[in-house]
Amino acid sequence: MTIRLGDDAPDFTADTTQGPLSFHQWKGASWAVLFSHPKDFTPVCTTELGAVAALKPEFERRNVKVIGLSVDPVDSHRRWAGDIEDVTGQRLNFPLIGDEERTVSGLYGMIHPNANDTFTVRSVFVVSPDNKVKLTLTYPASTGRNFEELLRVIDSLQLTAQYSVATPADWKQGEDVIVAPAVSDDDARKKFPQGFVAKKPYLRVTPQPSR
Ligand code: BEZ
C-alpha cells in the first residue's frame, strides 16, 4: 500500500512496549510521528532510538506524540531498551510497536521488497490532529535519520497549518517566511500587518507570524 500526502493515516491496533493500543485513540487530537526501523539489536537503530528519546521534550512542546515500530516482538524491544540506555543514556520513553505479523508495516508500506523483503525500511509519517498524513520520509537501513530536521519540518507544518505561508529552503523557527502564492497582495497586506517584501511578484517574504 502506498500512503501519500493528504491521505487519511490508517488506524490500527498493535502491541507495544507500553501495552496494546489503538493508533487513532492513542494519538487523540495531537500530532504524531510514526517511524519504523529495520531490526532490534542493530547499531544505527540503537543510536536513532536514543536520539528520539532525548528529543521527546521537544516533540511534546510541539504537541507531537512519537511511536516507533519494528517487526521484532515487544519482548525483544524490552530487552533491547537496556542496550539503548547503556549506549545513549536514554530510557525508551515512547511506545515501540512489535509488528511480527507485519500488519502495520503492510498498512503503511514500510517494507520495500527490493531493498529488503523481511525488514522495514526507515519510514517516517507525520500525522496531523485530523489524522491526515502531512509528511513521509524513507531512508535506507544504512543511514540514520536526523531527528532535529524532523522537528524543523514539524515547525514548518504547524506554521503553515495556521497561517497562509510557506517556508523557504533551510528555514528555521523565527526566520522570515513566504507569503503563500494564492494570497493576493491586497489580502497579504491585511493578513500580515508587518508587511511584506516582494523579491519577485511571486516571492514575497514577511516576518514569521506570531513572534
Ligand atoms: C542498523 O540499525 O545498524 C542496521 C539495521 C539493519 C540493516 C543495517 C543496519
Side-chain angles (χ1 to χ4, degrees):
M1 168 140 176
T2 306
I3 296 206
R4 299 185 190 154
L5 300 189
D7 288 356
D8 289 322
D11 197 15
F12 56 82
T13 54
D15 195 15
T16 82
T17 48
Q18 296 184 0
L21 60 74
S22 187
F23 181 56
H24 285 180
Q25 190 182 34
W26 167 82
K27 181 191 158 294
S30 301
W31 290 73
V33 171
L34 168 64
F35 70 106
S36 59
H37 64 88
K39 194 162 172 45
D40 294 3
F41 299 100
T42 51
V44 177
C45 299
T46 301
T47 62
E48 281 196 329
L49 294 199
V52 174
L55 288 174
K56 188 163 177 231
E58 288 299 317
F59 286 106
E60 282 176 346
R61 212 159 60 73
R62 292 162 172 83
N63 187 29
V64 180
K65 293 183 174 178
V66 290
I67 185 164
L69 172 150
S70 90
V71 296
D72 288 317
V74 162
D75 62 339
S76 162
H77 294 346
R78 291 206 177 102
R79 279 184 277 113
W80 182 36
D83 285 5
I84 294 168
E85 189 159 355
D86 277 355
V87 172
T88 69
Q90 299 296 327
R91 200 177 53 80
L92 190 63
N93 53 11
F94 55 88
L96 204 50
I97 296 167
D99 194 35
E100 285 167 277
E101 305 296 327
R102 276 67 170 167
T103 313
V104 183
S105 334
L107 208 51
Y108 277 79
M110 292 166 165
I111 294 182
H112 295 203
N114 291 326
N116 188 305
D117 58 8
T118 314
F119 303 127
T120 39
V121 293
R122 299 188 194 282
S123 299
V124 182
F125 297 89
V126 176
V127 182
S128 58
D130 61 353
N131 294 337
K132 299 287 181 195
V133 173
K134 294 294 181 182
L135 174 96
T136 65
L137 285 174
T138 308
Y139 277 45
S142 51
T143 304
R145 289 158 284 196
N146 181 332
F147 292 95
E148 296 275 3
E149 165 64 3
L150 188 57
L151 289 171
R152 189 192 74 86
V153 177
I154 288 168
D155 285 341
S156 170
L157 289 171
Q158 293 187 338
L159 188 70
T160 60
Q162 204 178 345
Y163 301 99
S164 304
V165 297
T167 59
D170 301 327
W171 173 87
K172 290 189 292 300
Q173 190 68 261
E175 294 179 354
D176 287 355
V177 299
I178 292 171
V179 177
V183 178
S184 69
D185 282 357
D186 279 351
D187 284 346
R189 282 183 205 100
K190 291 180 208 138
K191 279 177 190 277
F192 305 105
Q194 296 190 71
F196 61 85
V197 173
K199 298 187 176 209
K200 293 285 174 192
Y202 57 83
L203 202 179
R204 299 162 297 169
V205 296
T206 187
Q208 177 176 331
S210 230
R211 288 205 49 102

